[in-house]
Amino acid sequence: CELFNPDGSPVSQGGFAGSVKDDSGKLVKDATIKISLNVDTGQGKFPLAYNAYTNELGRYRSLDPKGVVADFLAVDIEIDPKTVEVTASKVGYEMTRRFVRGRPKSGGFYEIDFVLKKKS
């Protein structure tokens, strides 16, 4: 299923996806996934950040950073997922691990899983 913008151009379906678990292996719902990047606008670097959230199953899926940059800064650039900072947090927890699973060869979502530990 391919999505299209109002002008008929295809919507990029990249972005970040994965899961968040606690250190005992239980899925964590309502965790915040922060996606941060610096965009070269031609007039210098512009910091941009947005969030995604885990659902009831501890899974998240973010917007495509290229689309976010295009919408907010009106700049059409290619973004290397390796240059984007992706972190997970939840009140009462701290991030202990980050697993980068990579991006499928055919495109799609760059997969990153997280482990959070309850603060003592």
Side-chain angles (χ1 to χ4, degrees):
C1 174
E2 191 167 6
L3 301 175
F4 293 92
N5 290 312
D7 67 1
S9 62
V11 172
S12 174
Q13 294 192 23
F16 298 90
S19 65
V20 178
K21 296 180 181 180
D22 67 16
D23 56 342
S24 71
K26 290 176 63 180
L27 295 166
V28 177
K29 70 176 185 173
D30 299 325
T32 300
I33 310 302
K34 184 176 181 181
I35 297 95
S36 306
L37 60 153
N38 286 309
V39 180
D40 188 352
T41 63
Q43 299 174 3
K45 298 273 185 185
F46 184 87
L48 183 64
Y50 60 97
N51 295 333
Y53 302 92
T54 56
N55 62 16
E56 294 287 325
L57 302 174
R59 302 275 311 156
Y60 73 92
R61 195 163 149 173
S62 81
L63 296 171
D64 179 4
K66 182 176 179 175
V68 172
V69 168
D71 288 348
F72 285 96
L73 301 177
V75 177
D76 184 21
I77 60 170
E78 289 301 316
I79 297 173
D80 181 354
K82 295 175 190 164
T83 65
V84 178
E85 182 179 346
V86 182
T87 58
S89 63
K90 184 170 178 169
V91 173
Y93 290 81
E94 59 188 355
M95 190 172 73
T96 59
R97 290 192 179 182
R98 181 177 181 268
F99 301 102
V100 178
R101 298 192 183 272
R103 187 177 196 131
K105 290 179 184 162
S106 62
F109 286 84
Y110 197 79
E111 293 187 53
I112 303 175
D113 294 337
F114 297 93
V115 176
L116 303 179
K117 181 180 178 182
K118 279 199 175 191
K119 291 181 180 177
S120 37

